[in-house]
Amino acid sequence: MEHRRAPSRLAAAPAAAAAVLLALTTACTAGTVQGRPGASGLRDPYFPKAGNGGYQVEHYDLDLDYDPADGELNATAVITARAEQGLSSFNLDLAGLEVEDVTVQGAGARYNRTGRELTVRPAKDLKKGEVFRTEIDYRGKPKPIADADGSKEGWITTADGAVGVGEPIGSMAWFPGNHHPSDKATYDITLTVPKGYEAVSNGELASRTDSPAGRTEFVWHSPEPMASYLATAAIGKFDVTTGRTPSGVALYEAVAPGEAAAGAPALARLPEIVEWGSRRFGPYPFGTAGAIVLPAKSLTYALETQTKPVFSGAPDEDLVLHETAHQWFGDSVSPKSWKDMWLNEGFATYAEWLWSEDHGGTTAQQHFDAFRTGDTAVDEEADSDWAAFPPADPPSAKDISETPVYVRGAMVLQRIRQEVGDEKFFALLRGWATDHRFGNASTADFTAYAERSTGHDLKKVWDVWLYGEGRPK
């Protein structure tokens, strides 16, 4: 994947396609609105073509019919958005799949595909501030997307079904949208699958209905805002268990039968983890919590999909803790750009250290010291190259999930704790998660917030640990 700003799609397109694009993006002259095209990307530092300009999505209503036997997806996406400018056309991110029909505000719309961009030309220009509804019928066999670091995301087939996972840009493999974390929306996701399969997504299960045709429809509702990379759809022969935490948070766990025994000890701690996080970081942000455990080796990673993290094989306690901590840091408080990834991973890694400390194990300070000295007896990963680059400035897209983002990010937090003391530090963690609940935040937002809320000048921490090159002294 290229990391420099991509050339214009129009310039790269064949002449015929360019002519179509030009026709699509010419402003309407007959109406009163002189709209202009929405941008085809948000110029994210690492994924410049991710997301789209000119509008903000308010709600996704996805209706997905999937058959694991042939891998075929038949789907409709209804996207409710608000125009941030007069729009003659706008883009959606969509990789692969065949678009069959597009309407905007109930009227047929012209559309064009170029690479991973779906350009939509409404029959009538959209006015600034107008809330508009776009409906896209599409189908095909969704496929994985290769990450810059070589891992796979998007739509992944498993031993007994499939799963949609999206970090950082994979959700475009299974539904059209504004696929950048800065545009969060609410979701309703309907999954229809052959009878005998379970279909799991984010939020709460609103209904489950068997049809005479031998299929089962699952309707999932996510009332809290969600970045599209955190959306999931998992289809498989899962064993499902439900319950509640002591404080009343609903639990929904879907586990591949072959992973149930090995995963049981860690998943049994989930209610306690949610309650502990609520004390340390403020109230749990969502109405539901849980887990999706896929057959082993389905993925090469776990992912903090909102309300139900996805695990590839049976997770251990630390992994359940890490992905659940993301519900506060990454899911509720989401990054403004992918350069802010340490606000997700550094915080979730620090939560692991803090959980250990609070439960009589290795303290956060001991973890910090172990990495400083390379003491693998205290932390087996202490000899990793955690200082390869500053956590707030990864060199490229392939580095946003590397060790410095996780470990050195957590060490930044421990340095703040050393500077301000426990009382102000833990108030900072709770305040950050509470004051930015359901929003987006950047590194600059955090550094300003940390200094304001603690009353300390932390410039040296930022200069040396957050942005500094080389191994901090």
Side-chain angles (χ1 to χ4, degrees):
M1 181 178 296
E2 291 192 355
H3 312 306
R4 62 182 183 274
R5 185 177 173 189
S8 163
R9 299 288 191 189
L10 181 57
V20 173
L21 260 178
L22 185 61
L24 289 176
T25 56
T26 301
C28 176
T29 56
T32 57
V33 179
Q34 293 298 312
R36 65 186 192 276
S40 62
L42 294 178
R43 300 185 182 180
D44 184 273
Y46 303 124
F47 303 95
K49 298 299 286 185
N52 304 279
Y55 65 93
Q56 287 277 306
V57 178
E58 296 184 348
H59 184 72
Y60 289 91
D61 192 337
L62 307 178
D63 192 340
L64 311 172
D65 189 305
Y66 184 72
D67 191 344
D70 61 12
E72 189 76 19
L73 176 69
N74 287 276
T76 299
V78 179
I79 301 171
T80 304
R82 182 180 298 274
E84 296 188 313
Q85 65 183 55
L87 285 170
S88 60
S89 68
F90 59 92
N91 281 32
L92 296 165
D93 302 312
L94 182 65
L97 303 172
E98 177 187 349
V99 175
E100 297 186 313
D101 188 53
V102 179
T103 64
V104 179
Q105 300 293 58
R110 289 177 288 167
Y111 59 90
N112 186 70
R113 300 290 298 280
T114 306
R116 294 172 174 176
E117 298 289 338
L118 169 63
T119 303
V120 177
R121 173 68 166 90
K124 182 179 178 182
D125 279 9
L126 301 168
K127 298 178 180 178
K128 182 178 181 180
E130 182 176 353
V131 175
F132 64 98
R133 186 175 182 270
T134 304
E135 184 168 331
I136 305 104
D137 294 326
Y138 62 103
R139 60 179 307 234
K141 294 184 178 181
K143 294 180 171 55
I145 289 175
D147 279 347
D149 64 5
S151 60
K152 297 289 179 66
E153 51 170 322
W155 192 263
I156 311 292
T157 57
T158 66
D160 64 355
V163 64
V165 284
E167 187 175 347
I169 58 171
S171 294
M172 67 172 71
W174 54 284
F175 68 95
N178 199 19
H179 291 302
H180 189 267
S182 61
D183 191 2
K184 300 173 75 168
T186 56
Y187 282 72
D188 285 292
I189 299 178
T190 299
L191 301 171
T192 302
V193 295
K195 193 171 181 180
Y197 284 87
E198 298 291 326
V200 188
S201 189
N202 314 88
E204 60 194 37
L205 181 61
S207 66
R208 172 182 179 151
T209 309
D210 290 327
S211 75
R215 299 183 72 76
T216 306
E217 178 190 86
F218 298 79
V219 179
W220 292 92
H221 176 59
S222 294
E224 303 95 355
M226 178 166 67
S228 67
Y229 80 91
L230 298 169
T232 192
I235 297 104
K237 301 293 184 72
F238 299 115
D239 292 334
V240 173
T241 58
T242 60
R244 290 192 179 273
T245 69
S247 65
V249 177
L251 297 173
Y252 191 104
E253 296 172 3
V255 181
E259 307 301 326
L267 293 176
R269 303 297 296 272
L270 182 58
E272 182 185 353
I273 288 170
V274 171
E275 299 296 296
W276 171 84
S278 297
R279 293 191 300 273
R280 276 302 191 194
F281 312 134
Y284 181 75
F286 307 111
T288 63
I292 299 168
V293 181
L294 306 172
K297 299 183 180 179
S298 298
L299 303 169
T300 58
Y301 52 84
L303 188 62
E304 63 270 22
T305 44
Q306 194 155 301
T307 71
K308 294 178 190 66
V310 170
F311 302 98
S312 183
D316 61 18
E317 184 178 302
D318 283 347
L319 194 55
V320 173
L321 185 283
H322 182 98
E323 304 305 336
T324 304
H326 273 308
Q327 304 307 305
W328 286 267
F329 305 112
D331 293 18
S332 175
V333 185
S334 301
K336 281 186 178 176
S337 85
W338 289 110
K339 196 168 189 175
D340 303 310
M341 184 76 150
W342 83 276
L343 291 173
N344 296 14
E345 301 300 351
F347 278 68
T349 300
Y350 193 81
E352 291 183 62
W353 296 359
L354 198 55
W355 168 265
S356 172
E357 177 178 317
D358 284 355
H359 291 80
T362 305
T363 67
Q365 184 63 47
Q366 287 169 334
H367 278 287
F368 180 91
D369 292 338
F371 279 96
R372 289 293 300 272
T373 61
D375 187 351
T376 55
V378 174
D379 191 311
E380 61 184 14
E381 297 180 0
D383 60 352
S384 63
D385 194 5
W386 57 268
F389 57 83
D393 193 19
S396 68
K398 69 181 178 62
D399 299 303
I400 63 172
S401 293
E402 292 299 320
T403 301
V405 174
Y406 289 68
V407 172
R408 188 162 161 180
M411 294 173 85
V412 169
L413 295 177
Q414 183 61 16
R415 280 293 295 116
I416 297 171
R417 184 178 177 183
Q418 292 168 356
E419 290 289 325
V420 307
D422 279 11
E423 183 178 352
K424 289 183 177 180
F425 176 73
F426 289 116
L428 165 63
L429 290 186
R430 289 190 298 272
W432 175 251
T434 301
D435 292 351
H436 295 82
R437 187 179 176 97
F438 303 143
N440 292 85
S442 67
T443 298
D445 292 330
F446 176 74
T447 56
Y449 185 91
E451 295 198 347
R452 184 171 65 250
S453 65
T454 65
H456 282 250
D457 180 355
L458 297 168
K459 184 177 185 299
K460 187 174 289 187
V461 176
W462 315 140
D463 289 349
V464 174
W465 285 88
L466 191 55
Y467 289 106
E469 298 288 346
R471 194 179 183 93
K473 302 297 183 185

